[in-house]
């Protein structure tokens, strides 16, 4: 119930194309869904996050689409650039108001994105 | 600018040796997490502290791993004795639970551990 499944494992896109990464979760108590971006040799960094009260959130070229009934969410990168080449992780947590489970992120397995110039 | 620092950045040791990794969370943050990253398992949560109190260490092998926060500016992760299967990158992350940033976690640069 704590799993977050991410696909694809790797993705190759041409410059200017759209990159789409998908995640599915099982625990309906999850109420916070961030995406993290990780460059080689660096720690992951928050890219964009969404709460389940909205179906879409956009920040620049990055958009999260959220489908609560299907328990799925996805990251869309528009006009993909070579500088976007990195590993992307979806995650989920329960923000809630307390308890030991709240605030813990459960990560997907990651997607290695390569954007060719 | 504020960032999480980790030392050492790289550690090569022999099987059976004790390894200590250190983390300085961002000043004012009240949550600290330790993660392990490997190709096979991805990012695994090992331990989680809030206000220096350990909340969850269910992801940590108890017989050899221990995590502590001696004070608000230092978190440590120890492995004793180390084994080759412990080879991984260990990340520390900090955040502020209850703050306007929600549950954003700020990751350090990681400690790459190689156990021979």
């Amino acid at each position: 119930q704590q799993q977050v499944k991410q696909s694809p494992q790797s993705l190759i896109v041409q410059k200017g194309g759209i990159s789409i990464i998908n995640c599915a979760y099982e625990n309906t108590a999850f109420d916070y869904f961030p995406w993290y971006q990780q460059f080689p040799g660096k720690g992951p960094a928050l890219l964009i996050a969404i709460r389940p009260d909205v179906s879409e959130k956009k920040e620049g070229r990055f958009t999260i689409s959220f489908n609560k009934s299907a328990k799925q969410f996805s990251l869309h990168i528009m006009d993909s650039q070579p500088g976007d080449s990195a590993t992307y992780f979806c995650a989920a947590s329960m923000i809630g108001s307390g308890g030991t489970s709240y605030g813990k992120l459960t990560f997907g397995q990651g997607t290695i994105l390569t954007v060719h110039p | 600018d504020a960032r999480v620092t980790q030392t050492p950045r790289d550690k090569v040791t022999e099987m059976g040796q004790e390894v200590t990794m250190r983390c300085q969370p961002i000043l004012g943050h009240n949550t600290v997490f330790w993660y392990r990253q490997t190709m096979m398992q991805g990012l695994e949560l090992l331990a989680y502290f809030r206000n220096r109190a350990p909340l969850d260490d269910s992801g940590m092998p108890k017989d050899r791993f221990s995590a502590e926060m001696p004070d608000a500016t230092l978190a440590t992760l120890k492995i004793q004795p180390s084994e080759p299967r412990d080879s991984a990158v260990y990340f520390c992350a900090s955040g502020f639970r209850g703050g306007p940033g929600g549950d954003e976690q700020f990751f350090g640069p990681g400690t790459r551990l190689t156990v021979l």
Side-chain angles (χ1 to χ4, degrees):
Chain A
Q1 264 231 327
Q2 293 294 324
Q3 277 191 324
V4 176
K5 296 182 180 179
Q6 183 173 346
S7 62
Q9 283 187 307
S10 62
L11 181 62
I12 298 174
V13 175
Q14 291 296 122
K15 178 182 176 182
I18 302 173
S19 304
I20 301 174
I21 306 171
N22 301 298
C23 282
Y25 62 97
E26 298 173 356
N27 189 345
T28 55
F30 286 145
D31 58 4
Y32 174 69
F33 303 90
W35 285 89
Y36 278 75
Q37 179 187 55
Q38 184 180 27
F39 293 105
K42 306 288 187 183
L46 180 67
L47 184 64
I48 186 173
I50 196 168
R51 300 284 181 94
D53 52 342
V54 296
S55 61
E56 186 175 282
K57 183 174 182 180
K58 184 176 180 179
E59 289 183 2
R61 295 183 295 108
F62 301 90
T63 300
I64 299 180
S65 297
F66 184 80
N67 186 329
K68 188 174 182 178
S69 61
K71 293 187 286 185
Q72 296 176 345
F73 58 109
S74 60
L75 176 69
H76 296 235
I77 306 175
M78 310 299 289
D79 188 26
S80 300
Q81 299 297 313
D84 297 331
S85 297
T87 301
Y88 292 81
F89 293 94
C90 64
S93 74
M94 294 179 281
I95 290 187
S97 58
T100 60
S101 293
Y102 293 94
K104 287 169 49 175
L105 284 173
T106 300
F107 282 92
Q109 285 295 98
T111 296
I112 301 173
L113 172 65
T114 303
V115 182
H116 284 155
Chain B
D1 61 330
R3 60 182 67 187
V4 175
T5 58
Q6 290 185 246
T7 57
R9 292 295 311 277
D10 281 282
K11 176 72 175 180
V12 180
T13 190
E14 292 189 348
M15 183 174 62
Q17 296 299 304
E18 176 177 305
V19 175
T20 298
M21 290 169 270
R22 293 176 174 80
C23 167
Q24 183 172 18
I26 293 173
L27 188 65
H29 281 185
N30 61 2
T31 56
V32 172
F33 303 83
W34 282 104
Y35 292 92
R36 175 170 61 185
Q37 184 175 36
T38 60
M39 288 297 294
M40 291 300 296
Q41 300 297 326
L43 273 164
E44 302 174 276
L45 178 67
L46 297 175
Y48 168 26
F49 292 80
R50 188 186 302 160
N51 296 322
R52 294 178 55 203
L55 287 192
D56 187 345
D57 60 2
S58 59
M60 207 161 62
K62 302 288 191 306
D63 56 338
R64 299 184 300 108
F65 284 59
S66 63
E68 295 179 345
M69 278 202 76
D71 61 60
T73 64
L74 177 65
T76 62
L77 180 66
K78 292 186 180 180
I79 308 174
Q80 169 62 16
S82 58
E83 297 181 1
R85 59 179 169 153
D86 300 329
S87 298
V89 180
Y90 291 81
F91 287 104
C92 173
S94 72
F96 186 76
R97 184 114 180 88
D103 266 10
E104 179 174 2
Q105 294 183 19
F106 295 81
F107 282 74
T111 294
R112 180 176 298 277
L113 174 65
T114 303
V115 184
L116 303 175

